[in-house]
Amino acid sequence: MKTKRSTLIKLLPYIVPVLLMGMVSSCKKDAANITPNTNQVNSKLQVRGTGKYDNGFFLINEGWYAHGTGTVSFYDFGTGVLSDSLFTKENPGKNLNPTSSTLQYGTIFNDRLYLVSKVGGPLVVVNPHTLQEINRIAAKSGNDFRAFVGIDANNGLVSTNSGIFPINLQTLALGTKLSGVTGQVGDMIKAGNYVFVLSASSGVIVLNASNNSVVTSTSVAGMLCAFAKTPDGAVWSAGGTQLVRIDPATLVIQTITVPFSIYGSWAAWHPGSIAASTTENAIFIAKNATFSGGTQIYKYTSTNSASFTTPFITVPTGRELYGSGVGYDPAHNQVIVNTVHSGFTTNYGFNDLCFYNASTGALINDIAYTGYFFPSIAVFH
């Protein structure tokens, strides 16, 4: 559940209704397209795939808490257009209600896009090429999902505010909650024969992927931000002043000291502000405040001893990261950054989707758009 601080942040626009009147049309959740103001250097790029939603990436948006559900947006590399509310557009008569829920997480596994909601919302599976719904776990008051990870064609795991549940991917039936993992669990990733999960109380916990049992000999306390996986197979997490590399074959842990504090988001959970390159063994991690709101992103590589001396990316003045805030586009070697304007209240109705060169940190494109979307995570094919 959200803390009073988080809820207040999202309800602050209520305090200034006069200022909101001019923004009503841009805040509608059923708008087919966002009309952005763009400062473009090179926004029209191509990737493989001929499906309607193949040539780009998705943005999973929380939505304006208590004013409507979250939405699914899509950025098209070919046209340079960012479109919104696509789930409801592609699935007439269906929705992601209740309005009190927040759409917080998404990932593509085995050619299926999993949309995961918190606070009583559904877990919905859609075709990532068409966005048409395939199946769902219906919304109900007891639901409080966090993230999903696929294990194989038939099995996956769903993290929640109270432990982890196995899920049958053919029927979407939840099994019995796993023993040995209690309390709120967020991000998860599979690597090799293990599943790495981030627990609010225990940090990183390692599960045996074949039977979901806890590997009791390995856990990493103090971790708050996870996960990313580099081309060498290593799994990365962070917390406090530590960046941690875990070898998924041997479970050997390497710790790198970070000269600033790395925070998580357990009070009002969102996916971790960390991503990995697919072309080099590099990690991109945000220097966030206690709940989000960072302005700097660092790029760490073991070959650069000065990785944490200077930020790799600093967002323009007057903006801050929201949600995960940091994603990596493997098709074009870009870091994708989501920001809102700083200052709470109506400032959160101004968004920017920014594209940075993952090798140089140079800004490639900046798309500004309005509306209370509260972007949570970017999802790539």
Side-chain angles (χ1 to χ4, degrees):
M1 296 295 291
K2 299 174 180 293
T3 63
K4 292 181 180 178
R5 174 187 178 94
S6 173
T7 301
L8 176 62
I9 288 170
K10 293 189 178 180
L11 295 181
L12 275 173
Y14 250 149
I15 301 171
V16 284
V18 174
L19 293 176
L20 287 177
M21 292 301 293
M23 299 180 64
V24 170
S25 62
S26 65
C27 296
K28 287 185 177 180
K29 291 300 177 188
D30 59 355
N33 292 286
I34 298 167
T35 302
N37 300 312
T38 58
N39 300 310
Q40 299 187 33
V41 178
N42 179 22
S43 66
K44 296 183 179 182
L45 300 170
Q46 299 294 326
V47 296
R48 296 185 299 273
T50 58
K52 189 174 183 179
Y53 297 107
D54 286 352
N55 191 25
F57 60 89
F58 301 101
L59 289 179
I60 308 303
N61 305 300
E62 292 180 10
W64 187 6
Y65 182 58
H67 288 70
T69 67
T71 60
V72 179
S73 300
F74 182 76
Y75 177 79
D76 191 304
F77 287 125
T79 63
V81 172
L82 179 64
S83 302
D84 183 51
S85 298
L86 297 174
F87 174 81
T88 52
K89 177 183 176 182
E90 298 292 355
N91 297 276
K94 296 184 178 181
N95 57 53
L96 300 172
N97 285 343
T99 58
S100 58
S101 66
T102 55
L103 180 60
Q104 206 70 58
Y105 185 83
T107 189
I108 295 175
F109 175 74
N110 212 18
D111 209 31
R112 294 290 184 267
L113 171 59
Y114 290 80
L115 303 174
V116 185
S117 297
K118 296 193 308 186
V119 198
L123 188 156
V124 181
V125 184
V126 301
N127 183 316
H129 313 289
T130 65
L131 279 187
Q132 293 178 346
E133 182 173 326
I134 298 170
N135 203 349
R136 71 166 57 201
I137 296 176
K140 66 177 182 179
S141 60
N143 293 354
D144 204 359
F145 302 128
R146 293 296 182 265
F148 164 86
V149 64
I151 305 301
D152 55 38
N154 298 308
N155 301 286
L157 297 174
V158 178
S159 61
T160 74
N161 193 45
S162 179
I164 302 174
F165 291 81
I167 182 171
N168 183 310
L169 301 189
Q170 304 305 315
T171 64
L172 282 199
L174 293 177
T176 303
K177 183 165 61 175
L178 304 190
S179 60
V181 183
T182 59
Q184 185 174 194
V185 180
D187 291 282
M188 304 182 291
I189 192 171
K190 182 178 183 294
N193 297 319
Y194 301 103
V195 178
F196 300 82
V197 304
L198 186 63
S199 158
S201 60
S202 303
V204 173
I205 298 174
V206 183
L207 305 178
N208 185 316
S210 64
N211 59 18
N212 297 329
S213 64
V214 175
V215 180
T216 55
S217 61
T218 303
S219 63
V220 189
M223 296 294 96
L224 299 172
C225 177
F227 288 101
K229 184 164 64 174
T230 41
D232 60 2
V235 172
W236 297 80
S237 63
T241 58
Q242 305 295 324
L243 176 65
V244 170
R245 178 189 187 276
I246 307 175
D247 186 317
T250 64
L251 299 184
V252 170
I253 297 170
Q254 176 189 0
T255 301
I256 299 96
T257 300
V258 179
F260 54 84
S261 293
I262 298 171
Y263 294 102
S265 57
W266 291 117
W269 185 82
H270 63 69
S273 300
I274 186 171
S277 170
T278 59
T279 62
E280 58 179 324
N281 294 315
I283 292 295
F284 304 96
I285 188 165
K287 181 182 177 182
N288 274 342
T290 53
F291 66 96
S292 195
T295 61
Q296 298 175 336
I297 297 168
Y298 288 79
K299 179 181 180 179
Y300 172 80
T301 64
S302 61
T303 57
N304 180 10
S305 60
S307 290
F308 290 114
T309 301
T310 304
F312 184 66
I313 293 169
T314 299
V315 301
T317 302
R319 303 182 195 172
E320 61 186 52
L321 302 181
Y322 191 87
S324 173
V326 182
Y328 177 78
D329 164 25
H332 307 105
N333 192 35
Q334 299 179 124
V335 180
I336 307 300
V337 177
N338 296 99
T339 68
V340 294
H341 286 201
S342 304
F344 306 127
T345 65
T346 55
N347 292 292
Y348 276 12
F350 295 92
N351 312 268
D352 283 86
L353 177 63
C354 299
F355 303 69
Y356 291 88
N357 185 299
S359 297
T360 66
L363 179 65
I364 299 170
N365 189 23
D366 182 343
I367 296 178
Y369 59 101
T370 56
Y372 292 103
F373 294 97
F374 298 98
S376 183
I377 186 174
V379 179
F380 304 91
H381 284 280

